[in-house]
Amino acid sequence: MAPDYLFARCGLARCLAGDGQVEEAHKLLDGILDREEFHRSEYRSYLTAQHAFGVICGEHDAVRTFCGHR
């Protein structure tokens, strides 16, 4: 209904990734970082989706780095 709605794109991307459809999920996030301005809640939603991808794909070192854990 609203393909440019960032929160919906990020939420759907997390759901798709959780269902194992990681490539489709990444397609939803393509181009988001081309924006020049973000509200902090929008950027947080995007980062949360990226974090979910890291967990789902088993990139544990990247997730730890992202979260600031050692």
Side-chain angles (χ1 to χ4, degrees):
M1 292 177 68
D4 292 331
Y5 187 53
L6 184 137
F7 296 108
R9 286 174 64 181
C10 291
L12 182 55
R14 286 193 310 272
C15 291
L16 289 170
D19 286 341
Q21 300 177 53
V22 176
E23 191 170 320
E24 291 83 1
H26 272 290
K27 288 178 186 176
L28 282 173
L29 300 181
D30 282 347
I32 287 179
L33 288 182
D34 294 339
R35 293 173 59 168
E36 297 205 11
E37 292 185 22
F38 286 89
H39 185 272
R40 66 178 157 247
S41 62
E42 292 174 323
Y43 193 62
R44 173 118 175 128
S45 182
Y46 176 79
L47 292 178
T48 301
Q50 292 295 344
H51 179 267
F53 293 146
V55 170
I56 290 163
C57 294
E59 298 174 5
H60 302 293
D61 290 336
V63 171
R64 278 192 290 280
T65 300
F66 173 79
C67 294
H69 301 294
R70 302 233 177 236

